[in-house]
Amino acid sequence: MAGRESALYDETLLPLDGPEPGRRYAQVIVDVPAKQTNRPFDYIVPPELEAWVGVGSRVGVPFGPRTLQGFVVGLSESTGMDPRKLKPIEQVLDLVPPLNPELVDLARWMSRTYVCHEITALQAMIPGALKAKYEKYVAVAEEADGHSAPPPEGQALLLAGSPEEDEITAFVRQKGTVPMDAMLRRFPAAGPLLKRMLERGVLVEVQTVKDRLNAKKVLYVEPAADPRTLTEESGKLAAGAKRQKELLLHFAAHPSPVPLAELTDKLNVGAGTVKALADKGWLTIREREVFRDPYAGRSFARTEPLPLTEQQRGAFAAISDALGAERHDVFLLHGVTGSGKTEVYLQSIQQCLDQGREAIVLVPEISLTPQMVERFKSRFGDAVAVMHSRLSQGERYDEWRKIGLKRVSVVIGARSAVFAPFTKLGLIIIDEEHESSYKQEESPKYHAREVAVQRAARHGAVVVLGSATPSLESFARTSGRGAPYRLLTMADRVEGRPLPAVRIVDLREELKAGNRSMFSRGLYKAIEERLHKKEQTVLLLNRRGYSTFVMCRSCGYVVQCPHCDISLTYHQVSRTMRCHYCGLTQPEPKTCPSCDSEHIRFFGTGTQRVEEELGKLFPGIRVIRMDVDTTSEKGAHERLLTKFRNKQGDVLLGTQMVAKGLDFPDVTLVGVIAADTVLHLPDFRAAEKTFQLLTQVAGRAGRHRLPGEVFIQTYTPDHYSIEHASRHDYGAFIATELDSRRQRGYPPYCELVLVTFSHEQVAMVVRAAESFATRLKEKWQRMRTEFDSVSGAGAEDRYFEVYGPVASPIPRIKDRYRFQCMVKYRGDVDVSGMLTETAAAFDETVRQEKLHISIDVNPQVLM
DNA sequence: AGCACGCCGACT
DNA sequence: GTCGGCGTGCTC
């Protein structure tokens, strides 16, 4: 156990800036996400806490009848309130404030931009372990106050309670304070009685804010006397106490603290021996906080910067220049797969660190593989903290603390790492910037790319957005007058390796030729060849499960989820039908649930079915399947990839998670089973996503010595996204797609906001959605008249339109009906403000009728 | 979000 | 005449 912890947490914690003026009152955002509480409340900072309270501190404050968690967003010498009415802050929850003034300000920007409560934005910035948790205790009244509670007038006699009541009082008095749930466990039938006792004031309820988790503590042993005394004492020990003597001499020679576990391991002494010496007063056993280090015990061979190619040098020079000048610049680094973007990142980070500033690297969750982490750890060593969802809550918390304690200066992580509480930020890198996982789908529905640019601007820091297939939004920002981003291009793979040859297979032709299998003849032969040559294959199918839907061929009935308007997917392994939206699982039907016919059939192909088919076609083939179902366990993702890397698998078959960033030397074949799955989704980005997916997965082949080959199977071989992907022609794709977006009026030619309404009753949701749309349009009409009267510049570029409401593409999820409105706008329009105000009118309906309104600014998914 | 305060129906 | 429905408003 002891080996898992590394760096000791024995920072000497000093109070913030010491007593200074302007800390008398604190403005606090409390943990109540509601419109009416979405503003700071003033509190007195008690003198004894003054030194520990800063902007960004997490505090416990009394709010109405209870105690809540809150964040300090301001400190001041005066207050607009009557100071006598203010309550004091009860507790400061962290020794080091988890946020800082810049992040607090960023949270305000987020709440305005993404239309969410400020507390929601603040909560998103801290690790889950610090989310508020409240505990209710009961205590006997006079003990809680420290003085006797006055008996209510004329009821003194009644207060001499029933026997049950006396029993309860005695129990609580003996324990001091008792958690409410423990009370109910001890006295299961006493609920109403407890309530009465609380009402009468015999008992009082105390609520406190608790951390969900505490720093990990380990027992350490240290000497309690100076070495000379220890040596002397060791001589006085009984002759038989050899172990004790050894121990004392050890500490006489090495007086530094040692983990108890290490002591018992290495010096081969029992814990009892240590305890005995502690009891005698020569040693002290103390709890100390340690970091849980998920990468402890692994060594990373130090790497040196590699020589750069000419293209890499060009890109690095531009970044380096901006870094040197501490100028806020955003670069879009467009580098084909295998062009060596990572090395450019690494050297840019190095320069940033040399300048004494800090760097954040964002990567999509899925490509945060050990391989990736290793590249950074081996260049920057202990200066790197890693944050991703596969870490335990505790591990995550500890990585986070390293940032606040200035133990690290580089953070590599998924989306939320953009909030790493650095104070001297110099560089933010977003790898695979086109990835949709940078958008958070829950409130606050922020995009890490937008937040990164915002943060960097505040720090005068550089942003590097890297991708082989940049998003249209980012690309569009690199051209034209006053373009906010600068484009850096790396068009060739390192060492002149060629991009793999891509073949498009028309599945309609296969069918005509009588091939009804899911593998075209070409792909079949190619796989067979790889098995022969002992080379490896990656197969992509963007659909998990076994089949996508189950239909009765007699009556046409399709098995659907009873709670969502979506067909259920059949999972072969568990022989169950599952809803991919609400998680419902039910047994497979033997006969048609509607007409009882036995002609029930599975349609559509999922990864499980491909796996089965591969086994039939190539007996003995070793398939590693990677999808949500096989990677849900902690570490499973990593394990499967390692297995493939060690060549314990011939084929890596998976959903889009096999397309991203993987780099295996022996992969020479990539097959896309069905390229059209994404293309026909009801999403204006369908073509873009298809192009990106195909380009990315094709990039997995032939990255090393052996040349690669790619097969793309499709029913629409002429579609431009497929054609251009096959020729690795980003420029041509972008031109066509931009044109199409302009014609259809979609980003980057306008901005979008998706407003989704959901409720258990259709009538309610329709009414709310329509009324919302009407109000929003009216608001725009009023604003436009104002604009016209001022006739300011840019008026002609201003555009605003509300579309819908219409039923959502999935009209019902978890028994709630869903309708949506789409706002399209362009130019200087405060749409977020308009939406905030419009939504405010529905506040009561939201509260009372359980209507949900979701506002998604720049949505990535239109479902 | 909780919780108290406050104004109109069916009951001892 | 009261007990209680949940509409409205407040929490530093």
Side-chain angles (χ1 to χ4, degrees), chain A residues 362-377:
Chain A
L362 299 187
V363 295
E365 184 71 58
I366 211 75
S367 48
L368 197 49
T369 56
Q371 215 184 332
M372 188 72 166
V373 170
E374 192 178 332
R375 292 193 72 172
F376 286 84
K377 283 247 174 192

Side-chain angles (χ1 to χ4, degrees), chain A residues 4 294 388-396 630-639:
Chain A
R4 289 223 1 117
H388 58 93
S389 64
R390 302 271 160 171
L391 297 180
S392 74
Q393 206 176 39
E395 287 170 340
R396 231 141 57 112
T630 61
T631 54
S632 53
E633 244 176 88
K634 185 179 164 146
H637 190 248
E638 190 177 330
R639 204 168 51 243

Side-chain angles (χ1 to χ4, degrees), chain A residues 666-685:
Chain A
D666 289 321
V667 172
T668 57
L669 173 66
V670 166
V672 180
I673 308 285
D676 321 66
T677 48
V678 183
L679 197 55
H680 301 308
L681 291 178
D683 187 332
F684 71 92
R685 287 194 183 87

